[in-house]
Amino acid sequence: MVSMLDPKIRMQQLIAQIEQANFDYYIQDNPKLSDAAYDELMKALLALEHRYPEWISANSPSKRIGGDVASGFKAVAHHRPMQSLDNAFSEDDLQNFVTRCADKLGHGFDMICEPKLDGLAVSLTYQHGQLTQALTRGDGSMGEDITQNVKTIRSIPLALRGSTPAWLVVRGEVFIQKNDFEKLNNKLKQQGEKTFANPRNAAAGSLRQHDSRITSKRPLSFYAYWCDAPSEHMNTKLSDNMKQLKRWGIPVNQLITHGQQVTDVMKFIDQLQRKRQHLSYEIDGAVIKVDDLKSHDTLGTTSKAPRWAIAYKFPAETAHATLLSVEVQVGRLGTVTPVAMIEPTFVGGVTIQYITLHNYSEINRKGLSLGDEVAIRRAGDVIPEIVSVIKKHPEASTQAHAIIPPRVCPSCATTLKQSGDFILYCPAGERCPAQLVGQIQHFASRKAMNIDGLGIRIIELLVNRNMLGNVTDLYRLSSEQLVGLPRLGVKSANNLLMAIEQSKQRSWPRVLYALGIKEVGMATANTLASAYPSWQQLSEASEDNLMALNDVGPSIAASVRTFFSDTNNQLRLQQLNDFGVTMTMAVIKSDQSNPLKGLKIVLTGKFTTSRDQITQRLINLGATLSGSVSAKTDLVIFGDAAGSKLKKAQSLGIKCLPSSDLDQWVAQLST
């Protein structure tokens, strides 16, 4: 027997007992310790670690309690792109998937089927059996580092069992069990805090806490669905790899099954739909994958999804509710959108109270009036919509129940104007508080200037106090102005000012996107910035010159021309430039060679170097970049997971260059 005089060994014993209890509970589904006994082991370990901190193990279960508050989440590149799945909604869709795979492979194949959990996808990295990193999906190429938060999830092992590979990447879903979700919401309600709308939101919100001590108190669970490791540790079938994960101590869904024919898969899906309400966790469909891993390589991927897997989505749930009123919202571009308010109704795992009606033509088309009983659903299990009227209100034809379009803007009282299809808009621009808030929110968004800490509530506060009259006023804010405002102490104010200062370094394409020009998304912003490497050059471009660019049609060209012709916008652009915001892309000096002059180049896929850096380099060498492939394209440079653009270029006989060969190719052209 080990004496209590050997505290280091006793700590190791306690860790082993606690992790065995976790394995019995989460992997074997056979708990052997009561909650009280488990708590006693943890209490004893914490006491020893407090007394002997120099002996605390990096993988101690005490790490699940959470630690210091983090300032933010670091963006980290994924081991390989973390893609989403294409969807099937019927047996015919599923048959088409199977036929495509069989045609490509030249033979039939086994499939594995599993429930599609409604949670948050994460990627875990183990090195020599130790959990070293956890990332969110992010944009598929880069994820947020949430390692400290994930370490608080008891079903995820901090250290693997048995013989393990040098590295292992595991992907899976973090979720909250239905009963745990109800308990969590009840607890939050008792504490007077905001409750979560559904288990998925609760899981996502818990994982993205900047204080892992909060995450540790949330009842999160995890199931793995994919893994990668050195080839000598991988099986030839995905299903066998899932069994191996269980042996290493990583939880895998117990309902995974096999199928060889579409009829087998549909039988599983039908059974799953009948079980759906009785499962302990929320699902929104099933996932079907080709089991053989070599077939995965043969089938490949598109730019967004693997061709060897598909998600079968269950039909959207519907419910009935009463249409109580119609409110009006004003967007950043002035569009007036009617929004229906219904009695709070639970459908598709969410309580719905507000539903957008898009425009007044939509209201007329569906024949809506106040007091009607309507059918509602969540389209794609995401966006709430009114499907139809089930029962008209007895007095629906009276003026009191008619839905009457507003004549003036609800935000600034400006007389509204109308465009096609009964779409109303406010012409006041940034003089309208609602539009101004929307413009600043877009400007500060992650894909644009990425000003961390500048959320909608802070923006509304600053606009309402006349501290922001346009986006350039962000760069005039001072600590003295901010400190003491609701939600803003000294630290928060200084962090916000630092984030605003850092935003000046965003690239010209991102600044252009942030300006919020109608119809100019990120891809079009890249195209425009490549052709016109300064805001002055772009402001002088004619509609004909703009339409000569790939991806720029008459509507976009007119929108860009209108924006840059506005004297107020010209003033804002000059002010942003004066504040030090990046308003140009570096151009080559006259004495430098420009071997790519005149070449139209398209980038596609995922790159190890940032796309902004590659774009800047190509422009410096004289190239013009475009967002789409056409007969005018001279070259396509592709990275990992390149999809339809690469295929189109190959079909047109356009030269395609792997990004890894770019340096060598440029060097050859320069000699």
Side-chain angles (χ1 to χ4, degrees):
M1 178 178 292
V2 178
S3 168
M4 285 304 294
L5 295 176
D6 304 313
K8 187 174 182 179
I9 296 177
R10 178 56 182 156
M11 288 164 71
Q12 293 171 349
Q13 283 184 332
L14 289 167
I15 290 172
Q17 287 176 282
I18 291 168
E19 291 304 335
Q20 181 63 47
N22 287 334
F23 181 79
D24 292 338
Y25 186 94
Y26 295 106
I27 308 301
Q28 302 294 91
D29 196 22
N30 182 29
K32 296 176 181 176
L33 279 183
S34 67
D35 289 347
Y38 183 96
D39 291 342
E40 283 299 316
L41 291 176
M42 182 63 79
K43 184 178 178 181
L45 176 62
L46 290 172
L48 285 171
E49 288 183 342
H50 179 74
R51 188 172 179 183
Y52 304 101
E54 68 274 18
W55 291 339
I56 297 177
S57 168
N59 291 310
S60 169
S62 64
K63 300 293 183 183
R64 300 190 187 279
I65 295 172
D68 294 336
V69 177
S71 59
F73 297 113
K74 182 175 67 174
V76 179
H78 283 296
H79 161 70
R80 64 172 68 180
M82 198 167 178
Q83 298 178 303
S84 55
L85 295 177
D86 287 334
N87 292 326
F89 297 96
S90 66
E91 185 172 349
D92 286 344
D93 290 344
L94 193 56
Q95 182 63 65
N96 289 337
F97 163 75
V98 172
T99 300
R100 286 196 303 271
C101 291
D103 288 347
K104 179 73 173 178
L105 296 172
H107 54 74
F109 53 90
D110 287 345
M111 293 173 277
I112 60 173
C113 315
E114 61 189 282
K116 183 178 181 298
L117 272 69
D118 195 14
L120 191 76
V122 298
S123 179
L124 312 176
T125 298
Y126 288 86
Q127 293 181 328
H128 301 289
Q130 310 296 311
L131 178 62
T132 57
Q133 190 174 74
L135 305 177
T136 63
R137 183 195 300 277
D139 65 2
S141 176
M142 306 283 288
E144 292 178 311
D145 189 332
I146 52 169
T147 307
Q148 296 310 311
N149 287 350
V150 163
K151 282 185 174 182
T152 69
I153 303 174
R154 282 170 54 179
S155 58
I156 295 178
L158 302 177
L160 301 178
R161 302 167 67 88
S163 177
T164 59
W167 60 269
L168 172 70
V169 176
V170 179
R171 289 178 179 171
E173 204 84 5
V174 172
F175 61 99
I176 291 183
Q177 306 272 359
K178 292 177 184 176
N179 288 341
D180 289 334
F181 172 69
E182 290 179 11
K183 292 176 183 176
L184 173 61
N185 261 356
N186 288 336
K187 183 177 180 181
L188 292 173
K189 193 179 298 182
Q190 291 170 3
Q191 295 172 343
E193 297 181 32
K194 183 179 178 181
T195 58
F196 290 102
N198 55 56
R200 187 187 188 285
N201 287 358
S206 299
L207 271 184
R208 299 196 75 256
Q209 290 289 329
H210 289 287
D211 187 347
S212 60
R213 289 169 295 195
I214 297 176
T215 308
S216 71
K217 297 173 183 176
R218 302 285 171 79
L220 298 172
S221 298
F222 175 82
Y223 277 144
Y225 56 69
W226 180 89
C227 67
D228 192 18
S231 56
E232 63 269 22
H233 291 273
M234 296 289 285
N235 298 288
T236 59
K237 294 185 180 298
L238 181 57
S239 56
D240 290 333
N241 282 336
M242 294 300 98
K243 293 174 184 175
Q244 178 60 60
L245 287 182
K246 285 189 67 175
R247 290 192 287 271
W248 281 328
I250 297 173
V252 175
N253 196 295
Q254 301 300 308
L255 295 180
I256 293 179
T257 188
H258 281 79
Q260 292 182 316
Q261 306 294 330
V262 172
T263 51
D264 300 331
V265 177
M266 288 307 302
K267 182 179 179 181
F268 170 76
I269 290 171
D270 290 341
Q271 292 174 342
L272 197 59
Q273 280 188 277
R274 288 195 292 271
K275 292 178 182 177
R276 183 179 186 181
Q277 300 302 323
H278 305 291
L279 293 175
S280 63
Y281 44 82
E282 294 284 358
I283 63 172
D284 56 6
V287 177
I288 298 92
K289 306 172 188 173
V290 176
D291 196 16
D292 180 65
L293 293 176
K294 289 184 179 178
S295 296
H296 291 192
D297 295 332
T298 303
L299 293 169
T301 68
T302 67
S303 59
K304 296 181 179 179
R307 292 192 177 94
W308 44 265
I310 198 164
Y312 186 100
K313 300 299 289 288
F314 291 152
E317 294 183 48
T318 61
H320 293 181
T322 300
L323 176 54
L324 301 176
S325 64
V326 173
E327 301 177 355
V328 175
Q329 292 180 348
V330 182
R332 66 180 176 87
L333 296 175
T335 302
V336 173
T337 303
V339 177
M341 187 175 81
I342 61 172
E343 56 192 352
T345 305
F346 190 80
V347 58
V350 175
T351 298
I352 295 172
Q353 191 169 7
Y354 296 96
I355 304 174
T356 180
L357 296 173
H358 305 292
N359 55 58
Y360 287 90
S361 291
E362 179 79 355
I363 292 173
N364 294 337
R365 186 180 67 81
K366 291 182 176 177
L368 299 175
S369 54
L370 302 181
D372 290 349
E373 184 181 347
V374 295
I376 63 172
R377 70 181 178 193
R378 291 175 66 210
D381 279 341
V382 177
I383 303 171
E385 67 172 342
I386 291 179
V387 181
S388 61
V389 176
I390 300 301
K391 184 180 179 182
K392 297 293 294 181
H393 189 276
E395 300 177 10
S397 60
T398 66
Q399 186 76 2
H401 289 267
I403 300 174
I404 301 172
R407 293 180 59 255
V408 299
C409 174
S411 178
C412 65
T414 300
T415 300
L416 298 176
K417 294 187 177 182
Q418 181 179 332
S419 61
D421 204 22
F422 210 163
I423 296 173
L424 300 176
Y425 69 95
C426 171
E430 64 187 23
R431 290 180 287 107
C432 172
Q435 291 183 63
L436 178 58
V437 168
Q439 290 167 13
I440 297 172
Q441 186 180 20
H442 173 79
F443 186 84
S445 64
R446 185 170 299 178
K447 287 174 64 177
M449 305 302 277
N450 192 20
I451 302 178
D452 190 35
L454 190 62
I456 182 68
R457 300 295 174 236
I458 299 296
I459 295 172
E460 289 175 338
L461 176 67
L462 296 176
V463 168
N464 291 337
R465 297 203 177 199
N466 297 316
M467 296 170 67
L468 294 178
N470 58 71
V471 296
T472 66
D473 287 340
L474 288 168
Y475 300 99
R476 295 186 177 91
L477 293 173
S478 66
S479 180
E480 291 75 19
Q481 288 177 292
L482 297 177
V483 172
L485 292 176
R487 301 171 180 264
L488 285 171
V490 174
K491 184 176 181 181
S492 300
N494 289 335
N495 286 342
L496 176 55
L497 290 172
M498 185 182 301
I500 292 172
E501 183 65 27
Q502 291 170 345
S503 74
K504 295 178 181 180
Q505 306 306 313
R506 306 294 177 248
S507 66
W508 166 227
R510 287 180 67 174
V511 175
L512 182 54
Y513 169 73
L515 295 175
I517 304 171
K518 187 178 180 181
E519 298 189 51
V520 175
M522 198 65 240
T524 303
N526 274 309
T527 298
L528 293 170
S530 298
Y532 299 97
S534 76
W535 70 272
Q536 293 96 336
Q537 289 173 295
L538 184 55
S539 69
E540 296 169 359
S542 68
E543 287 191 37
D544 287 342
N545 287 338
L546 291 169
M547 284 190 288
L549 301 174
N550 287 333
D551 305 329
V552 178
S555 180
I556 294 176
S559 181
V560 173
R561 190 70 241 127
T562 298
F563 180 88
F564 282 95
S565 298
D566 186 290
T567 54
N568 282 331
N569 290 336
Q570 289 275 353
L571 175 62
R572 304 285 180 257
L573 291 163
Q574 184 61 58
Q575 289 171 333
L576 288 173
N577 185 77
D578 293 344
F579 280 122
V581 175
T582 302
M583 302 297 289
T584 63
M585 295 180 81
V587 295
I588 54 175
K589 297 178 181 178
S590 57
D591 60 346
Q592 288 181 299
S593 64
N594 51 350
L596 306 187
K597 184 176 181 179
L599 291 185
K600 292 182 173 63
I601 297 178
V602 172
L603 300 177
T604 183
K606 307 295 183 183
F607 303 98
T608 53
T609 305
S610 80
R611 188 175 288 251
D612 278 355
Q613 290 177 353
I614 297 174
T615 298
Q616 183 65 68
R617 183 185 178 201
L618 293 171
I619 289 173
N620 285 353
L621 293 169
T624 299
L625 267 72
S626 172
S628 63
V629 175
S630 72
K632 297 180 181 179
T633 303
D634 297 301
L635 173 69
V636 170
I637 299 173
F638 64 92
D640 293 337
S644 58
K645 291 180 184 178
L646 178 60
K647 287 180 105 177
K648 183 175 181 180
Q650 291 169 336
S651 70
L652 293 173
I654 295 168
K655 178 179 176 63
C656 299
L657 182 76
S659 58
S660 57
D661 294 345
L662 179 59
D663 289 342
Q664 182 180 356
W665 180 70
V666 170
Q668 289 172 347
L669 289 178
S670 302
T671 56

